[in-house]
Amino acid sequence: MEQAQSMPEFVSENELQGRLDMRGQLTVTIDGEDAKDLDDAITIKKENGIYELGVHIADVTHYVKEGSPLDKCALGRGTSVYLVDRVIPMLPHRLSNGICSLNAGVDRLALSCFMEFDETGTILGHRIAETVIRVTRRMSYNEVYQILQTMKEDDVNSCEAEIKPESGCEQEIEALQLSKEQLQQEYGELVPKFLLMKELSDILRNKRHQRGAVDFDFPESKIIVAENGRPIEIKPYERNDATKIIEDFMLAANETIAEDFFWQEAPFVYRTHENPDPEKIQKLGVFIKNFGLNIKEGKDGIHPKEIQKLLDSLEGKEEEPLISRLTLRSLKQAKYSTDCEGHFGLAAKYYCHFTSPIRRYPDLQIHRIIKDNLNGRLTEERKEHYIEILDEVALNSSKTERLAEEAEREVEKMKKVEYMERRIGEVYDGVISGVTNGGIY
């Protein structure tokens, strides 16, 4: 905490030496309404059919030096833990919400990955640079989603088609009719940027889908609690076009960085996801036969494309939630590793976590390697040092991630139970998803 207190509140002039100055570019962050630790920002343009995407990530390692008290504490925690109404941050708030957070209107140090894509989503080239950025505007997912919906040519008709009248579509149509000019006024030159983001995001997502990446689109729960911690409302937290944009761009940056360092044969921490256990896939195959479904295995095991095909065939059906969850349980858990073993779920050969160094230690760790590499410091001696420590970092990060996920899940379950406590005696329809000696789920 003493070290955190000694951290500056603003970026000083001499910290900008040797950095690429991006402060004149239109730059946005897009996050949830209540997010306070903003670790990624986006710039985008398109020239002669080429998309230029900049993913700018908070340069946390500038402040958290290896072996310092902050670093040791962050390594021990491994990750931030997001519980229903609070965060247990990996780094103290002074850093996570302050000097490291890419807040709008102030200078911030970043590590940026600039990528060029053609109109099929093929990456043509990339570069990595230490930068200084100034976020033009902080956006929320909902704001960006509203802009994208409203700027569609056919918005009123699509609302009539998609939304049943009782869900308040009249107001929605009215809002859409009112707001095109208002949005243009409010967000001005940012509007075409969001439309361009959506365009590139669709292309990248489609390309991933074609190669067989698995996309589990479960509705998550957003639990609203009162000040005393009692849950007062539970609603589905749906992914929309705005959340998908950020997801697609972060995936692209993570893959690009991982491939770059794999070919450089540098010591690194990858995010890997092994192929599923054949036995589990067989069991899944037997189960889904009851629904007239099947899953094809090749001689080298199953391809992620087959999983995605199964999920596509379930879309909108009654049994979709049940089989989707069982399919997810048939897959292995992703983990951190110093070996680049590929990512089954993403159908990616190279993958790492680069985009969230405020809240995940592996990202922070590989930022150090990237910066050593950029500045000519990745000597044989330095490589030896990384080889020595990275296995332990990967193992610890996988372990702390599991702990955090478990805590998050348990708290969510607890809040759902507290919410249903007041409804004992009421009768609801449910889906039986499992039967054990101890009872039914």
Side-chain angles (χ1 to χ4, degrees):
M1 291 312 285
E2 261 173 46
Q3 196 190 353
Q5 285 313 314
S6 71
M7 286 293 156
E9 280 184 45
F10 302 101
V11 174
S12 67
E13 205 49 50
N14 62 358
E15 288 175 296
L16 309 184
Q17 299 307 312
R19 284 182 178 262
L20 178 63
D21 193 340
M22 294 290 294
R23 289 175 292 184
Q25 304 286 327
L26 275 181
T27 309
V28 293
T29 57
I30 308 176
D31 290 274
E33 266 89 354
D34 36 12
K36 292 183 180 68
D37 47 354
L38 315 179
D39 37 22
D40 52 87
I42 300 293
T43 52
I44 192 168
K45 62 182 178 189
K46 186 182 181 183
E47 279 173 13
N48 308 323
I50 304 294
Y51 297 93
E52 286 181 40
L53 172 67
V55 173
H56 311 282
I57 305 300
D59 187 356
V60 180
T61 59
H62 182 83
Y63 303 100
V64 181
K65 301 296 185 201
E66 187 175 353
S68 65
L70 277 171
D71 182 49
K72 286 177 182 163
C73 183
L75 175 62
R77 289 169 182 254
T79 179
S80 293
V81 186
Y82 293 84
L83 304 175
V84 168
D85 59 345
R86 70 199 68 191
V87 181
I88 305 169
M90 180 176 86
L91 295 168
H93 286 301
R94 181 159 176 120
L95 280 94
S96 63
N97 300 358
I99 191 70
C100 292
S101 184
L102 304 180
N103 301 333
V106 288
D107 292 355
R108 286 290 184 258
L109 305 181
L111 193 53
S112 301
C113 182
F114 299 94
M115 294 162 280
E116 290 184 347
F117 297 95
D118 66 15
E119 289 177 324
T120 68
T122 303
I123 188 159
L124 304 173
H126 76 279
R127 69 190 175 112
I128 306 165
E130 290 176 281
T131 55
V132 54
I133 68 170
R134 185 181 293 158
V135 170
T136 313
R137 182 140 189 176
R138 183 212 161 140
M139 299 294 295
S140 74
Y141 292 128
N142 288 342
E143 286 172 309
V144 174
Y145 180 61
Q146 197 201 345
I147 291 168
L148 294 173
Q149 288 300 92
T150 307
M151 290 303 170
K152 276 185 194 166
E153 258 53 54
D154 222 10
D155 29 47
V156 173
N157 306 343
S158 72
C159 180
E160 283 171 330
E162 281 169 29
I163 305 175
K164 295 186 181 70
E166 65 267 23
S167 70
C169 191
E170 297 86 345
Q171 291 90 318
E172 193 141 341
I173 291 174
E174 226 167 274
L176 287 172
Q177 284 171 331
L178 281 176
S179 54
K180 234 177 203 182
E181 291 72 29
Q182 289 174 327
L183 287 174
Q184 204 66 59
Q185 226 172 350
E186 171 77 14
Y187 301 106
E189 53 189 344
L190 289 175
V191 172
K193 295 287 186 193
F194 295 129
L195 296 173
L196 195 55
M197 286 181 197
K198 168 83 168 81
E199 202 178 292
L200 177 58
S201 158
D202 286 346
I203 292 169
L204 294 175
R205 180 166 289 261
N206 189 36
K207 194 172 177 70
R208 255 197 347 268
H209 194 83
Q210 280 172 354
R211 75 178 187 207
V214 185
D215 189 9
F216 286 99
D217 198 358
F218 295 128
E220 291 174 31
S221 309
K222 189 167 176 59
I223 302 172
I224 317 292
V225 295
E227 271 180 21
N228 62 2
R230 296 296 293 179
I232 47 179
E233 192 188 349
I234 298 181
K235 51 188 184 186
Y237 173 79
E238 300 284 359
R239 285 158 71 202
N240 61 34
D241 287 344
T243 58
K244 287 175 183 174
I245 283 172
I246 293 303
E247 204 175 282
D248 293 331
F249 292 173
M250 297 307 124
L251 287 171
N254 287 336
E255 281 188 49
T256 303
I257 298 277
E259 181 168 5
D260 185 334
F261 279 80
F262 173 77
W263 289 112
Q264 289 196 46
E265 298 183 358
F268 211 62
V269 178
Y270 297 95
R271 177 73 169 170
T272 62
H273 186 217
E274 292 171 73
N275 288 4
D277 195 334
E279 207 176 300
K280 283 194 169 174
I281 293 297
Q282 262 171 342
K283 276 188 181 165
L284 176 69
V286 170
F287 179 78
I288 64 176
K289 268 209 173 80
N290 297 312
F291 296 89
L293 299 164
N294 68 341
I295 197 162
K296 276 208 291 281
E297 280 189 83
K299 56 179 186 302
D300 302 328
I302 191 161
H303 191 278
K305 226 175 212 172
E306 285 300 313
I307 303 274
Q308 190 54 56
K309 263 192 219 160
L310 171 65
L311 297 177
D312 288 344
S313 71
L314 288 166
E315 215 169 299
K317 291 187 181 167
E318 241 179 15
E319 58 269 22
E320 181 185 12
L322 170 63
I323 296 178
S324 294
R325 285 187 194 281
L326 284 176
T327 306
L328 181 62
R329 282 187 212 144
S330 308
L331 304 183
K332 293 194 173 175
Q333 283 183 306
K335 62 177 199 283
Y336 296 103
S337 168
T338 51
D339 296 321
C340 184
E341 294 160 346
H343 196 292
F344 177 83
L346 292 169
K349 279 187 189 162
Y350 318 96
Y351 195 65
C352 70
H353 274 170
F354 158 77
T355 52
S356 294
I358 292 178
R359 59 185 184 86
R360 287 191 305 231
Y361 195 82
D363 307 48
L364 181 66
Q365 178 63 70
I366 69 171
H367 275 225
R368 286 196 185 112
I369 297 169
I370 294 166
K371 285 175 67 171
D372 277 356
N373 187 52
L374 284 176
N375 295 300
R377 295 192 299 258
L378 202 53
T379 58
E380 284 310 311
E381 193 183 335
R382 198 81 187 119
K383 282 181 182 175
E384 281 304 314
H385 164 71
Y386 284 128
I387 289 167
E388 231 167 84
I389 64 166
L390 289 185
D391 280 326
E392 191 50 47
V393 168
L395 192 68
N396 181 66
S397 300
S398 298
K399 210 161 65 186
T400 49
E401 179 188 31
R402 298 275 172 276
L403 276 173
E405 279 176 354
E406 213 171 294
E408 287 164 14
R409 260 202 309 270
E410 288 298 313
V411 169
E412 207 171 278
K413 281 185 194 171
M414 178 176 80
K415 291 296 166 197
K416 286 177 179 174
V417 168
E418 285 176 7
Y419 182 76
M420 293 307 286
E421 244 177 3
R422 302 194 287 279
R423 292 166 173 74
I424 287 175
E426 293 177 30
V427 178
Y428 298 91
D429 282 342
V431 175
I432 295 174
S433 62
V435 181
T436 65
N437 292 343
I440 59 175
Y441 292 88

